[in-house]
Amino acid sequence: MTLNEFYRRQVALWPLAADNIHALFGVCSRPMRPAGHEEGMPFVIQHNPARIRSTGAKVDAASVAARPCFLCAGSRSSEQIALLPVELDSSLPGLEYEILLNPYPIFPYHFTIPAMLHTPQVIASDGGRRFDDMLRLSRAMEGMALFYNGAKCGASAPDHFHFQAIPEASMTILSTDRPVPFLVYGYQSRDEDEMLEWFARAVAQVRELPPAPDFSTEEPEPRMNVICAYNDGVWKTIVIPRRAHRPDFYGIGEGKFLLSPASVDLGGTIIVPSPADYENLTPETLSSLLRQTTFML
C-alpha cells in the first residue's frame, strides 16, 4: 500500500481527521523573521486552534502518569487505522512501528509514527538503533521529513517513543539558503553507517553545551530536536540543541504567549493556537522565543 492510498482510506473512515484536515485550509498565516535576523531564514506564523492539545499539553511526570497514552493501540479511536512499515516497503520487516494519520495536523499530510511498545521518548541510546530506524523510515517515506521531538522539546507524549512526518517542502530549515538564526548540526550522506557515526558525534557535541536551567541529571539524553529527510539516495539530517523546553513567558494571560516550540516551529512554522497570541506576536517576541529555547547565534 502506498502512503497516498493509506491517507485516502483513513480520511474516508475517520470524520474527525477529515474535518480537521479540511479546517487547515482556512487557517491564518503570515511571514515573519526574528528581530535582528531580518536577512535570515524566514518563518511562517500559523494560527492553528486545534494544536492547543499539543502546545498546551501538560508533560510533567504526574500529568503524563494520570492520563491514558493516546499512542498506545488500546487508547486510540476505533476509526483510526495503522499502516505497518513493511506494508509500505517490503524491505522493512521487523521494524516495530505503526504509521498513523495525525488527527490534529499542522499540515494536511501529517503522520505520527509510534513504536509498538510503550517505551520512553529517547533517541540517543541503544547504539543509535532509534536513529537508524529514523533513517530507514525516511527512505521508505521519500519526500517526507521525519522529525523527533525530545521529551522536553515539544513532545506531547514523552512516555511513548514516536516520530512524526510531514512533507519535506513544509520544513523550511531543510532547504533554506538563508542563515538559520540558531545553532544546528547538519549532515548529509548516501551511506547509512556514515550517518550513524555522524549522529553519535552530534549527540556528543550537544552534551557539551550548557544544559537547560531545569535540566535534571536523570534525563537520559541531552535536549534536542532531530529532523531527517531522504531524497535521490541521500539522507539529510539536522540536530537542533535546546537551551530550554519553553520560554519564560509561556502561558495564558497578560504578557504571556502559548508557544511551545518543537521541530516544526524551529523548522520554520511557528504554531500559535491562540488568536490573541497570533495577533500580538512580533519579531521581538519571536526573537525572545528562539533566544530562550535554542542556542541563538
Side-chain angles (χ1 to χ4, degrees):
M1 181 183 293
T2 68
L3 203 58
N4 281 331
E5 290 170 338
F6 169 70
Y7 176 85
R8 289 194 296 268
R9 181 183 174 197
Q10 177 62 102
V11 169
L13 292 172
W14 199 3
L16 171 66
D19 289 346
N20 285 338
I21 290 170
H22 180 74
L24 286 175
F25 294 99
V27 300
C28 299
S29 63
R30 55 192 175 99
M32 184 178 292
R33 283 183 168 90
H37 293 264
E38 288 77 10
E39 302 301 320
M41 183 182 87
F43 287 81
V44 170
I45 311 302
Q46 183 195 99
H47 172 41
N48 188 335
R51 293 298 295 179
I52 187 67
R53 295 170 61 94
S54 179
T55 304
K58 294 182 179 180
V59 293
D60 59 280
S63 297
V64 170
R67 56 103 171 116
C69 176
F70 53 85
L71 293 181
C72 284
S75 301
R76 297 180 205 152
S77 166
S78 61
E79 296 165 307
Q80 188 169 33
I81 59 175
L83 176 68
L84 299 179
V86 71
E87 296 176 300
L88 185 64
D89 184 334
S90 61
S91 70
L92 298 177
L95 204 60
E96 297 183 346
Y97 296 84
E98 295 174 291
I99 301 170
L100 309 172
L101 187 64
N102 192 318
Y104 299 97
I106 298 171
F107 302 101
Y109 217 58
H110 185 173
F111 300 92
T112 303
I113 310 169
M116 289 184 177
L117 295 178
H118 184 83
T119 54
Q121 184 78 337
V122 180
I123 195 172
S125 63
D126 298 330
R129 181 179 68 85
R130 290 293 194 191
F131 180 66
D132 194 28
D133 292 345
M134 190 180 201
L135 294 175
R136 297 172 69 195
L137 284 163
S138 64
R139 182 172 57 197
M141 300 173 74
E142 186 167 357
M144 302 291 288
L146 269 70
F147 58 93
Y148 165 85
N149 294 326
K152 292 189 176 180
C153 302
S156 53
D159 54 331
H160 192 133
F161 189 87
H162 64 285
F163 301 111
Q164 294 183 66
I166 59 174
E168 182 182 356
S170 300
M171 195 70 82
T172 305
I173 198 170
L174 289 172
S175 60
T176 185
D177 58 357
R178 300 297 185 92
V180 177
F182 44 80
L183 177 65
V184 301
Y185 299 114
Y187 197 69
Q188 60 183 41
S189 175
R190 294 178 177 273
D191 187 273
E192 188 171 345
D193 290 334
E194 188 177 323
M195 291 299 301
L196 289 168
E197 292 171 4
W198 168 80
F199 183 69
R201 293 194 301 271
V203 172
Q205 288 178 290
V206 179
R207 290 187 190 279
E208 294 175 359
L209 295 170
D214 63 341
F215 184 81
S216 167
T217 56
E218 297 180 359
E219 291 184 41
E221 66 182 13
R223 296 187 188 178
M224 59 187 175
N225 298 93
V226 185
I227 303 169
C228 179
Y230 179 90
N231 272 299
D232 298 325
V234 177
W235 280 287
K236 183 175 184 178
T237 301
I238 292 174
V239 171
I240 306 172
R242 294 294 296 271
R243 187 184 294 275
H245 180 195
R246 288 165 169 165
D248 61 12
F249 53 79
Y250 173 84
I252 299 172
E254 186 176 355
K256 300 291 187 180
F257 287 83
L258 206 58
L259 299 173
S260 184
S263 295
V264 169
D265 305 81
L266 301 178
T269 303
I270 305 294
I271 308 304
V272 186
S274 162
D277 289 354
Y278 176 75
E279 292 297 330
N280 294 326
L281 187 64
T282 65
E284 289 72 24
T285 309
L286 177 55
S287 183
S288 181
L289 172 73
L290 298 177
R291 187 170 58 253
Q292 292 190 46
T293 60
T294 69
F295 290 85
M296 201 167 183
L297 302 174

